[in-house]
């Protein structure tokens, strides 16, 4: 009886050990499964986090790319606007320069026309003044020549008068040396119509006789 009890106790202990081992093994398996599940969960979470981070990075990169593209587009638009503004300013400057050149040419043409007209008027005025001066010079020369001629004529007349006076003096001196037959004036009535004519003939005869002593005319 006493030998049976230890064997049964041994069996019981073996059973209890086996049960304990199984419980322990199951607990290990559960812990292992739990750790595996935790690892898988952590891996899944890490993968999700990595995917989220990658997605966020992709989003960030896409946003950065969009921002850079927007900035590039804005810069390109600004550059084009600046080029258009510069081209418009250049066009306006060219138009202003062309307008100024046209105005300068028109002004130069107008001034040239005015200068030509003024030169023509000045030439006409100088021609008129030259003609007036030439006419005045000719008139002055004519007057001078006339004055010289009159002076020469007066000198010639004075010389002729002096020569005639000298000849007359010589004739008178010659006649003074001989008697002169003068015609006496007959006394006629005042109403005699030929008296004045007769007296004139007598005076002319006596003068001629005094100068050259010709024969007396018939009464």
């Amino acid at each position: 009886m006493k030998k049976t009890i230890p064997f049964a106790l041994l069996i019981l202990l073996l059973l209890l050990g086996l049960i304990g081992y199984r419980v322990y093994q199951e607990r290990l398996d559960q812990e292992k499964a739990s750790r595996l599940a935790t690892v898988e969960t952590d891996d899944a979470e890490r993968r999700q986090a990595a995917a989220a981070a990658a997605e966020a990075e992709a989003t960030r990169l896409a946003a950065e790319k969009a921002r850079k593209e927007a900035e590039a587009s804005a810069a390109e638009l600004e550059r084009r606007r600046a080029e258009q503004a510069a081209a418009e300013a250049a066009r306006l400057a060219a138009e202003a320069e062309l307008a100024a050149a046209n105005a300068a040419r028109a002004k130069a043409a107008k001034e040239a026309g005015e200068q030509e007209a003024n030169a023509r008027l000045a030439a006409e005025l100088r021609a008129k003044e030259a003609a007036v001066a030439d006419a005045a010079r000719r008139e002055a020369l004519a007057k001078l020549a006339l004055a010289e001629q009159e002076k020469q004529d007066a000198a010639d007349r004075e010389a002729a008068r002096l020569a005639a006076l000298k000849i007359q003096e010589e004739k008178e001196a010659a006649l003074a040396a001989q008697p002169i037959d003068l015609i006496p004036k007959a006394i006629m009535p005042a109403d005699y119509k030929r008296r004045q004519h007769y007296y004139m003939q007598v005076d002319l005869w006596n003068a001629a006789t005094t100068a050259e002593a010709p024969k007396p005319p018939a009464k």
Side-chain angles (χ1 to χ4, degrees), residues 3 12 26 72 75 86 90 97 118 133 162 171 188 217:
K3 292 182 180 179
L12 178 62
E26 289 178 357
E97 184 177 357
N118 293 333
L162 292 176
K171 287 182 179 181
M188 296 184 179

Side-chain angles (χ1 to χ4, degrees), residues 58-194:
T59 303
R60 186 186 68 79
L61 293 176
E64 183 69 15
K65 182 179 179 182
R67 184 184 64 81
K68 290 182 179 179
E69 290 178 353
E71 290 179 354
S73 298
E76 180 66 17
L77 181 61
E78 187 65 24
R79 186 185 64 80
R80 291 182 180 179
R81 288 178 178 176
E83 289 180 352
Q84 291 177 356
E88 182 67 16
R91 184 184 65 81
L92 293 176
E95 290 180 355
E97 184 177 357
L98 180 60
N102 292 332
R105 283 196 297 271
K107 183 179 180 181
K110 182 179 179 181
E111 290 178 353
E114 291 178 353
Q115 291 178 358
E116 184 178 358
N118 293 333
R120 185 171 59 254
L121 292 176
E124 293 176 356
L125 181 61
R126 286 195 298 269
K128 290 181 180 179
E129 291 177 350
V132 172
D134 187 66
R137 182 180 63 81
R138 291 176 182 273
E139 184 178 0
L141 290 176
K143 288 182 179 180
L144 181 62
L146 181 61
E148 292 292 333
Q149 185 64 38
E150 290 179 352
K151 184 178 180 181
Q152 185 64 36
D153 292 344
D156 292 343
R157 288 194 299 269
E158 182 64 18
R161 185 184 70 79
L162 292 176
L165 181 60
K166 183 177 180 181
I167 294 172
Q168 182 66 27
E169 290 176 352
E170 292 176 353
K171 287 182 179 181
E172 289 179 355
L175 290 175
Q178 59 182 359
I180 299 175
D181 186 13
L182 299 178
I183 301 176
K185 293 182 179 180
I187 300 174
M188 296 184 179
D191 58 351
Y192 191 76
K193 62 182 180 179
R194 293 185 57 194

Side-chain angles (χ1 to χ4, degrees), residues 1-87:
M1 186 70 180
K2 290 183 179 179
K3 292 182 180 179
T4 306
I5 295 173
F7 180 75
L9 181 60
L10 181 60
I11 296 298
L12 178 62
L13 291 174
L14 290 174
L15 291 174
L16 291 174
L18 182 59
I19 293 171
Y21 176 76
R22 287 182 177 179
V23 171
Y24 174 73
Q25 190 66 38
E26 289 178 357
R27 184 178 295 175
L28 288 179
D29 291 339
Q30 289 177 355
E31 290 177 359
K32 184 177 180 180
S34 178
R35 285 195 301 270
L36 183 61
T38 301
V39 171
E40 290 179 353
T41 302
D42 292 339
D43 290 341
E45 289 178 355
R46 282 195 299 271
R47 286 193 298 270
Q48 290 179 356
E55 185 177 359
E57 182 65 15
T59 303
R60 186 186 68 79
L61 293 176
E64 183 69 15
K65 182 179 179 182
R67 184 184 64 81
K68 290 182 179 179
E69 290 178 353
E71 290 179 354
S73 298
E76 180 66 17
L77 181 61
E78 187 65 24
R79 186 185 64 80
R80 291 182 180 179
R81 288 178 178 176
E83 289 180 352
Q84 291 177 356

